[in-house]
Amino acid sequence: MADSLFSSLAAKAPGDYSSLVFRNCPFSSRLLTPKSFSLQLGGSKGKLNVLAPSQYSLVSIRRRVDPICALDSDVPHPLHKGSVNFKSTKNYEQWDSLTAKFSGGANIPFLLLQLPQIILNARNLLAGNKTALFAVPWLGMLTGLLGNLSLLSYFAKKREKEAVLVQTLGVVSIYVVLTQLAMAEAMPFPYFVATSVVIGAGLILNFLNYYGKLNAIIWQFWEDFITVGGLSILPQIMWSTFVPYIPSSILPGAISFVLALTAVTMARMGKLSEEGAKFVGAISGWTATLLFMWMAVSQMWTNFLNPDNIKGLSATSMLLAMIGNGLMIPRALFIRDLMWFTGSTWGTLFYGYGNIVSIYLFNNISREFFLATTMGLILWLGMTLWRDSVAYGYNSPLRSLKELVFGP
């Protein structure tokens, strides 16, 4: 990063040091240490001590970079920082590193969440008991798979390595389950082939894009594809949740498909305003997030209609879901990503903890288990807010939330 600083300064006119702000720096999000700047530039008349506080300095006591607004969530922000107190640089770097590790650690509970189903399916296949695999809803698994794939594209574009690994694990693990279902003929083979093509292409394109090896036009086409697909699936899933209380229909998905295709086409033809084009660009990430958020709503609706089904819920699985999502909250808050924060918090509170509450109310788990889970969740969320405020040099933990939602 230091090399890019000096080369850009060399290209500037004397006295013009605006490039020190690094508004669009393509490099790592780590702050430069003071030692990195301890030299002087220019001739004898125009020396610039980069450490000296001035209106041009990168580290002039405070610096500001806008957090990610709702419509800008899909835009890469390598320097995703709000106001950072220069004196708290060490705390900032430590929390940056820790939140990245927490996010990467979410792979463990998410893997444990899917692994029992994979092992059980394998045993049934080896035993010739293909009928048992029909109990696994392939359409629901496919929806989750497409959600993971959309979020993989979102995080690959933002260069969030740990989140990319989490979503890749989700794609691969669910695809393994779908492969098992196809082997048992529980999933129609033509759908499996089509899914395999999309998943294979999606993984290749995402990793090529992550490493900067993909043509921009091809990536744009892929983004348009997942935007139209996500926006078509979401309303249909939401509608289907309440059948038979509402009539079964494919109209929600069909109408959404037409609207999404029209919006994407208009955006590519330049027929939309800047805000409109920005909205279309943010759709894919938000629809993927809403798909996962709707899983909690669907489960709670099922619990409400059929309380006896709660006995079939695994408290351990819900705990793993809560932990996996909870581990990503600190990173989402740290980089001021409203979309990621919304999805992770919702998954933690409503899908994971919400179902644990339901299980407890029906006396299917012990009081000690419930209280320990509740206390652990409260402490984790409190620690997240406190450490984030310390990293940014804020006096109040609530300021981080305010900046996340409303900006600096």
Side-chain angles (χ1 to χ4, degrees):
M1 184 187 285
D3 290 340
S4 70
L5 167 65
F6 303 140
S7 61
S8 62
L9 278 173
K12 291 285 182 182
D16 182 4
Y17 304 110
S18 59
S19 63
L20 288 173
V21 179
F22 285 120
R23 288 184 177 83
N24 296 300
C25 176
F27 294 95
S28 169
S29 61
R30 305 292 189 268
L31 281 176
L32 295 179
T33 60
K35 192 174 181 180
S36 303
F37 292 99
S38 57
L39 60 90
Q40 294 182 333
L41 304 174
S44 58
K45 294 182 179 181
K47 288 186 178 180
L48 167 67
N49 187 330
V50 187
L51 279 177
S54 72
Q55 60 178 324
Y56 304 112
S57 177
L58 172 66
V59 290
S60 58
I61 308 304
R62 281 199 174 286
R63 69 190 183 94
R64 305 184 69 87
V65 179
D66 293 341
I68 304 172
C69 300
L71 294 183
D72 292 328
S73 287
D74 69 325
V75 179
H77 282 255
L79 283 175
H80 31 250
K81 303 170 179 67
S83 302
V84 182
N85 191 327
F86 180 57
K87 296 179 180 179
S88 67
T89 297
K90 184 176 180 180
N91 289 327
Y92 187 97
E93 290 178 333
Q94 288 176 346
W95 189 232
D96 183 10
S97 176
L98 278 174
T99 55
K101 292 176 181 176
F102 289 150
S103 180
N107 279 298
I108 298 174
F110 284 138
L111 178 61
L112 294 175
L113 190 63
Q114 200 67 256
L115 198 57
Q117 185 67 60
I118 294 175
I119 294 173
L120 180 60
N121 290 346
R123 287 176 178 174
N124 285 321
L125 283 172
L126 291 174
N129 185 19
K130 294 183 178 181
T131 306
L133 276 74
F134 281 79
V136 182
W138 69 268
L139 189 58
M141 300 294 293
L142 180 60
T143 301
L145 178 63
L146 294 177
N148 278 123
L149 192 60
S150 294
L151 288 177
L152 173 59
S153 299
Y154 173 79
F155 289 118
K157 184 163 62 174
K158 291 167 65 66
R159 304 297 191 270
E160 279 291 328
K161 180 177 66 175
E162 292 78 12
V164 167
L165 292 176
V166 171
Q167 300 306 324
T168 302
L169 176 64
V171 170
V172 172
S173 60
I174 296 178
Y175 181 72
V176 170
V177 175
L178 289 178
T179 301
Q180 293 173 324
L181 296 181
M183 293 171 64
E185 300 179 352
M187 178 181 183
F189 189 71
Y191 287 97
F192 175 72
V193 172
T195 300
S196 300
V197 172
V198 172
I199 296 306
L203 289 175
I204 293 172
L205 292 176
N206 274 291
F207 284 101
L208 286 176
N209 182 66
Y210 181 85
Y211 290 106
K213 304 294 185 180
L214 188 66
N215 182 278
I217 296 177
I218 297 177
W219 178 252
Q220 188 177 77
F221 176 80
W222 170 253
E223 285 195 309
D224 291 344
F225 174 77
I226 59 175
T227 296
V228 173
L231 197 57
S232 302
I233 292 173
L234 177 62
Q236 189 64 49
I237 294 295
M238 296 172 71
W239 181 275
S240 299
T241 300
F242 301 107
V243 174
Y245 294 93
I246 57 176
S248 179
S249 174
I250 63 169
L251 278 178
I255 293 173
S256 299
F257 172 78
V258 173
L259 291 176
L261 190 61
T262 302
V264 167
T265 302
M266 291 179 66
R268 297 300 166 240
M269 294 176 64
K271 301 294 185 180
L272 298 179
S273 64
E274 182 179 350
E275 285 298 313
K278 191 180 295 185
F279 176 79
V280 171
I283 285 177
S284 61
W286 278 103
T287 50
T289 299
L290 290 171
L291 277 171
F292 286 111
M293 291 172 66
W294 192 256
M295 288 173 62
V297 176
S298 179
Q299 184 64 63
M300 290 182 178
W301 176 251
T302 301
N303 294 346
F304 173 75
L305 294 179
N306 304 293
D308 289 340
N309 287 351
I310 294 177
K311 296 178 181 179
L313 288 178
S314 168
T316 302
S317 295
M318 294 300 106
L319 180 63
L320 288 171
M322 186 187 83
I323 293 173
N325 283 288
L327 283 171
M328 294 191 288
I329 291 177
R331 187 65 182 176
L333 178 63
F334 176 73
I335 69 172
R336 301 300 189 257
D337 189 326
L338 180 60
M339 191 204 77
W340 190 7
F341 181 84
T342 301
S344 298
T345 304
W346 184 277
T348 301
L349 296 179
F350 292 96
Y351 186 71
Y353 184 71
N355 280 302
I356 289 176
V357 171
S358 298
I359 297 171
Y360 173 70
L361 292 177
F362 283 84
N363 300 315
N364 289 326
I365 57 173
S366 67
R367 187 166 179 261
E368 291 75 16
F369 181 93
F370 175 72
L371 290 178
T373 301
T374 302
M375 186 59 65
L377 178 60
I378 292 173
L379 290 175
W380 177 255
L381 295 178
M383 184 277 295
T384 296
L385 290 172
W386 170 70
R387 280 295 278 115
D388 192 85
S389 64
V390 170
Y392 277 89
Y394 296 160
N395 295 322
S396 170
L398 296 179
R399 184 173 173 183
S400 293
L401 291 175
K402 180 182 176 182
E403 189 172 88
L404 172 73
V405 178
F406 300 107

